[in-house]
Amino acid sequence: MTRQPFSLRALGASLLLAGCASAGAANPSVAALRVYLFDCGSIDVSDVSTFSPGVHVGQAKVLTDTCYLIAHPQGTLMWDTGFGDALAALPDGKQVSPVFHVRLNKPLATQFKEIGYAPDAVTYLGLSHMHFDHIGNVGQFPRATLLMQTEEYAFSLGPDAAKFGNDPLTYPTLGANPVKRLSGDLDVFGDGSVVIKRALGHTPGHQMLYLKLPRTGNVLVSGDMAHFTENWQQRRVPGFNFDKEQSLKTMNDSAAFLKDNHATLWIQHDAEQNAALKHAPAFYE
């Protein structure tokens, strides 16, 4: 979402460390591509104009925090990891800034167990970007190969991470993951069905995920290109985005991509849209 101040970084560190998992068995195999949606938290926003400067000033809105497990015959990809599981132990959630109050109803580790998968056996870890609401459980995936744009790696794990407001001590396990640094799109399994798409602007190395599901159709998973449908439709850019012009270019390019590929946009933070989608243990294929 936004570049986090020290208090949010400290919260992220405590939740992340509590979210680390122990070793587990190999994950189930699948005959065809499928995707599980997980409820990885919610965000009560007291002033939604944080995301749309000058529009709906002072109005409240609830955002969701969705993350995804993609199961492919050749392996698995975890896309974003939400808030750290320790947040679920706080029944009233946590106020993390004057504008954001966050909650988590069920730990991600529990949701994995319910579908018979083990986080530490996941093949790949794809993070749309490194803001705290997308990385809370990275410690549960210590063996996964991190797939990250080169700029985002420098933004979060390079020697100048502090310049961008990041502190690797808040995600202490991530630097030990095997990593494949990207400078563009990546066809994860080599068959065109799972493609990480370079989508700069929200952060220096933001990326999205494109899925070609046999029965559901083509889906583009947004990351934080847009946080809810109205902002997407109106091409509104949050004031805290890294690069406004690049953000607008990414949205316009994505609109053309969606049209050309007859794809649906899944907006990760859009609570209303996500309420209408199936969540684990159900799945799309």
Side-chain angles (χ1 to χ4, degrees):
M1 287 170 55
T2 63
R3 187 179 302 170
Q4 60 263 44
F6 176 79
S7 61
L8 300 195
R9 299 202 302 271
L11 172 69
S14 63
L15 297 183
L16 174 66
L17 289 169
C20 293
S22 60
N27 281 324
S29 59
V30 296
L33 187 67
R34 66 173 58 170
V35 57
Y36 294 91
L37 279 66
F38 298 118
D39 177 0
C40 290
S42 63
I43 308 142
D44 297 325
V45 183
S46 61
D47 184 355
V48 75
S49 69
T50 299
F51 298 94
S52 48
V55 181
H56 305 313
V57 175
Q59 294 186 21
K61 188 173 181 61
V62 176
L63 301 180
T64 193
D65 199 6
T66 310
C67 44
Y68 308 78
L69 176 68
I70 293 84
H72 185 279
Q74 297 179 33
T76 46
L77 166 70
M78 186 64 196
W79 182 255
D80 286 340
T81 70
F83 293 121
D85 279 358
L87 183 60
L90 304 177
D92 297 324
K94 178 81 173 181
Q95 190 76 30
V96 296
S97 81
V99 178
F100 300 138
H101 188 98
V102 301
R103 308 172 191 273
L104 179 63
N105 292 325
K106 183 186 290 189
L108 180 62
T110 301
Q111 297 180 68
F112 257 77
K113 187 177 295 185
E114 289 174 348
I115 63 171
Y117 281 77
D120 68 330
V122 165
T123 315
Y124 297 108
L125 175 61
L127 301 172
S128 61
H129 62 295
M130 286 294 293
H131 286 161
F132 77 106
D133 52 322
H134 294 258
I135 64 166
N137 290 303
V138 293
Q140 295 188 27
F141 305 91
R143 301 178 185 180
T145 297
L146 178 63
L147 305 175
M148 181 178 284
Q149 300 294 322
T150 299
E151 297 91 338
E152 197 74 8
Y153 194 89
F155 169 70
S156 55
L157 289 163
D160 295 325
K163 182 174 71 175
F164 298 104
N166 287 307
D167 181 359
L169 292 177
T170 65
Y171 34 91
T173 67
L174 198 60
N177 279 66
V179 60
K180 183 171 185 176
R181 304 185 204 186
L182 312 179
S183 296
D185 297 353
L186 175 69
D187 184 348
V188 178
F189 297 105
D191 62 2
S193 66
V194 180
V195 178
I196 289 178
K197 293 192 64 63
R198 186 172 170 88
L200 311 184
H202 181 65
T203 62
H206 183 269
Q207 55 190 13
M208 298 187 294
L209 184 66
Y210 178 56
L211 305 172
K212 298 179 73 172
L213 292 158
R215 296 186 180 180
T216 303
N218 300 338
V219 173
L220 183 63
V221 183
S222 70
D224 278 12
M225 175 185 67
H227 293 83
F228 49 91
T229 298
E230 184 179 342
N231 270 12
W232 161 246
Q233 292 172 339
Q234 300 298 323
R235 303 291 191 269
R236 294 179 185 141
V237 177
F240 54 79
N241 272 27
F242 179 75
D243 187 322
K244 179 177 180 179
E245 293 306 315
Q246 184 63 60
S247 296
L248 285 169
K249 183 179 186 303
T250 289
M251 285 195 283
N252 289 328
D253 289 349
S254 297
F257 179 85
L258 288 163
K259 182 178 179 180
D260 291 345
N261 290 276
H262 307 286
T264 299
L265 181 65
W266 283 356
I267 302 177
Q268 291 184 225
H269 283 303
D270 191 311
E272 292 78 16
Q273 184 192 58
N274 276 277
L277 297 175
K278 295 186 292 187
H279 285 68
F283 56 83
Y284 287 93
E285 59 184 3

